[in-house]
Every structure is written in structure tokens, then in C-alpha cells.
Amino acid sequence: NAGVTQTPKFRILKIGQSMTLQCTQDMNHNYMYWYRQDPGMGLKLIYYSVGAGITDKGEVPNGYNVSRSTTEDFPLRLELAAPSQTSVYFCASSPSPGYGYTFGSGTRLTVV
Amino acid sequence: QKEVEQNSGPLSVPEGAIASLNCTYSDRGSQSFFWYRQYSGKSPELIMSIYSNGDKEDGRFTAQLNKASQYVSLLIRDSQPSDSATYLCAGRPSATGTASKLTFGTGTRLQVTL
């Protein structure tokens, strides 16, 4: 049972480039989330999804996009990367409201 | 005012002592609370959840919830060096509806000294 799998683990982007952070879970969870974590700032919600085909913005969505075509996959797209997007990105999933999250191992992104 | 607040620490306790980690929250309607442990460079790991007033024990960990005071705590008994990590408190605000979005505190760094 792999849980939540994120790829890549590390990436360096140049300003203006784009990339997709992959997230897949094998627990049949309906709820999936993308957070970013900056030093001393805690985890901030970027986007979330309550099921296939349904996504919504979180606290800090600007510069990002998501899609949820299947229950398993919830990729995060960065368009026109900026230095402010340098962060660690975590994908998480939950089986239903009221339950805690299972986190992926994270993607450390640097934009130069 | 932050929705979930924690002292950033570091909190230093000797091996074998009780570590007490605290968290306050501003949304009086919050129903569910969670404690995560995060080792440096790793992802958060769920260690405790608590939904009702009182104490919940799991091994060396005890979570305490006081809704009247809007206060959540985590006690770690017989602290070990392997407990040295950052502990994140998270709450599910009442306005989150069915989305189950959690709000996280910034974490308290715990150091267990030999």
C-alpha cells in the first residue's frame, strides 16, 4: 500500500517556466489537497478537491491550477514560475470529513 | 488573529520527562483537532486526533481538548530523543462544510535532550 505518492521530490525551475507536480493515492480517498509549506509560515492550502471532477481554491491559489479527472490523481500545475513559488509542496488525502490527512513525501521546488 | 496558534519553541525537555505542547484556536465552532509530527525534511505524520472534550490516550501520547477555553494540548510521556521533531496542531473550522479543510498552526519544535 503506497499511500500518497508525489513526484518529483526535487526540482529547480527558471523564472517563467511551467511544470506539473504529480500526486496519486491508492486509498480510494475522495478528498485531496495541495499545501505549500514555507519556513515559519506553516502549511497553506492552495487547492482542494472533494471528488473526481470537483476542485476549488484554497487560501493561496494564485499562480497554480489543478484538475481531478480520476479519484486517484490530483496534479498541481505551476504556470510562469516565480521566485515566490519556491517552497515545499505537499499533497494530502482524506477518506471523508472529520478524518485527518495522509500526506505525500513532498516536492521541494526552487525557482531561480 | 491566526486561526490556530502555537508557540514556535524550541521546547527543550530532558529524556524521560513529559513534554507538553499547546495550541489555541479562534473558531469556537471547530469540531475536530489533529496533531502531526514532522521530522526535519519530511512530511507531516498524523499521530493523534481528538473530537470531544477531555483526554484521549494512545501509548505515550495524550491529547487534551477544552472547547470552552479553545485549547488543545499534546502530552508526550517518557520523552525520547526520537520524539525530537516539529509538532503541528490542526483544526477543522466550522465553515469548512464538507470539504474537510484543515487549518494548521506553524508548529512547535521539540528537542529532547540526553
Side-chain angles (χ1 to χ4, degrees):
Chain A
N1 190 343
V4 180
T5 302
Q6 289 184 240
T7 56
K9 293 192 183 303
F10 303 93
R11 183 73 185 268
I12 298 175
L13 277 182
K14 294 184 178 179
I15 295 172
Q17 288 185 321
S18 300
M19 76 165 293
T20 298
L21 282 66
Q22 301 292 344
C23 176
T24 186
Q25 52 92 9
D26 62 359
M27 298 173 286
N28 201 34
H29 287 175
N30 283 324
Y31 297 80
M32 296 189 74
Y33 310 86
W34 276 104
Y35 283 84
R36 59 178 288 173
Q37 187 175 40
D38 301 309
M41 299 298 290
L43 287 157
K44 300 295 184 184
L45 181 64
I46 305 170
Y47 270 95
Y48 66 97
S49 170
V50 300
I54 306 170
T55 62
D56 206 347
K57 296 177 180 178
E59 187 180 359
V60 289
N62 291 343
Y64 308 95
N65 271 302
V66 294
S67 60
R68 183 94 182 270
S69 57
T70 67
T71 298
E72 294 78 20
D73 299 308
F74 190 40
L76 177 71
R77 177 80 176 166
L78 277 71
E79 304 282 0
L80 299 175
S84 61
Q85 293 178 305
T86 294
S87 188
V88 180
Y89 292 84
F90 289 105
C91 178
S93 72
S94 175
S96 64
Y99 282 78
Y101 298 165
T102 298
F103 281 88
S105 58
T107 295
R108 185 173 296 273
L109 175 68
T110 302
V111 181
V112 297
Chain B
Q1 181 185 9
K2 294 180 181 178
E3 292 187 37
V4 177
E5 294 205 52
Q6 298 180 255
N7 188 316
S8 61
L11 172 66
S12 185
V13 300
E15 183 178 6
I18 296 174
S20 177
L21 302 158
N22 304 314
C23 169
T24 58
Y25 61 94
S26 59
D27 183 349
R28 185 170 288 279
S30 294
Q31 296 295 316
S32 313
F33 298 90
F34 306 89
W35 283 99
Y36 289 82
R37 177 176 61 200
Q38 186 175 25
Y39 292 114
S40 180
K42 302 296 185 182
S43 60
E45 174 193 9
L46 180 64
I47 56 173
M48 289 290 286
S49 58
I50 188 164
Y51 304 95
S52 55
N53 274 332
D55 296 358
K56 179 182 177 182
E57 187 174 319
D58 184 0
R60 295 187 296 113
F61 299 100
T62 298
Q64 299 174 320
L65 173 59
N66 183 325
K67 291 188 177 180
S69 300
Q70 295 176 240
Y71 180 92
V72 189
S73 65
L74 178 70
L75 302 178
I76 306 175
R77 290 181 298 281
D78 189 23
S79 295
Q80 301 297 309
S82 58
D83 294 325
S84 297
T86 296
Y87 290 80
L88 306 175
C89 174
R92 180 170 179 255
S94 56
T96 194
T98 59
S100 190
K101 296 176 288 183
L102 297 182
T103 298
F104 287 82
T106 54
T108 298
R109 188 157 63 94
L110 173 66
Q111 294 178 336
V112 180
T113 58
L114 296 174

